[in-house]
Amino acid sequence: GEDVEQSLFLSVREGDSSVINCTYTDSSSTYLYWYKQEPGAGLQLLTYIFSNMDMKQDQRLTVLLNKKDKHLSLRIADTQTGDSAIYFCAEDRGSTLGRLYFGRGTQLTVWP
Amino acid sequence: DAGVIQSPRHEVTEMGQEVTLRCKPISGHDYLFWYRQTMMRGLELLIYFNNNVPIDDSGMPEDRFSAKMPNASFSTLKIQPSEPRDSAVYFCASRHSTGYNSPLHFGNGTRLTVT
């Protein structure tokens, strides 16, 4: 189908690692993105990975891509209360005229 | 760059009134998107444009919704007449042409409340 799937909620303790998972649909997707939405704000690009990569690390963020299973994950190390937000994954299917396909978003709550 | 600029930030109106939401994309971006976000339905794509031409409006809920892009630096989303179920946050976003890494850039949204 067309849906990009994410679990809706995740709760972690401050200092622990968070792992947010996403399943996408198109094996020919070129780029996969993670966006972060804080309360009252728009979606901000957090990181991305190109489809020929398996992993990308950016400070506390690690993105893992399993193309065979069409599975994308975002790991946040040493999660802080400021990381509490909604996280969206999105796929660029390349051939489709310009749009990205978004998941429903995962609400991450970080407890002190 | 100032990013994608939306106005107003908040709009409260009565049922039956016309509502116009405005968006200025990032300069040089040739794609513009209108999204709606609600708790029930999440983020929905309403319509998007390429070089000011509507490409896909299949997400527009009904004829009460219309969108225009008269030039590369301005777009409007109009709801006439508005209904309480239109209450949501409406986002505008823009991006460069695809073919290389080109993420969407979002505005801060317009929170619409229809009473």
Side-chain angles (χ1 to χ4, degrees), chain B residues 16-100:
Chain B
Q17 297 298 306
E18 178 179 292
V19 175
T20 299
L21 311 181
R22 296 173 176 78
C23 176
K24 177 179 166 54
I26 292 173
S27 177
H29 283 189
D30 53 350
Y31 280 91
L32 183 139
F33 302 78
W34 282 101
Y35 286 88
R36 177 172 69 176
Q37 186 178 36
T38 61
M39 290 288 290
M40 290 295 294
R41 294 186 172 178
L43 194 66
E44 299 174 275
L45 176 63
L46 301 178
I47 184 171
Y48 72 101
F49 297 82
N50 178 223
N51 292 322
N52 314 336
V53 176
I55 298 301
D56 184 352
D57 65 354
S58 59
M60 296 285 262
E62 44 197 279
D63 292 345
R64 297 183 297 107
F65 286 69
S66 62
K68 293 182 180 179
M69 192 164 185
N71 57 63
S73 59
F74 184 65
S75 178
T76 58
L77 178 68
K78 188 176 290 188
I79 308 172
Q80 166 63 24
S82 57
E83 297 183 3
R85 60 193 167 119
D86 302 331
S87 297
V89 181
Y90 291 81
F91 289 105
C92 177
S94 68
R95 73 186 298 205
H96 279 297
S97 296
T98 54
Y100 54 93

Side-chain angles (χ1 to χ4, degrees), chain A residues 57-74:
Chain A
Q57 189 144 5
D58 183 0
Q59 299 182 338
R60 292 190 298 120
L61 305 179
T62 303
V63 179
L64 295 178
L65 177 60
N66 181 330
K67 285 194 70 175
K68 175 175 169 292
D69 294 336
K70 301 192 193 69
H71 184 264
L72 181 73
S73 67
L74 174 69

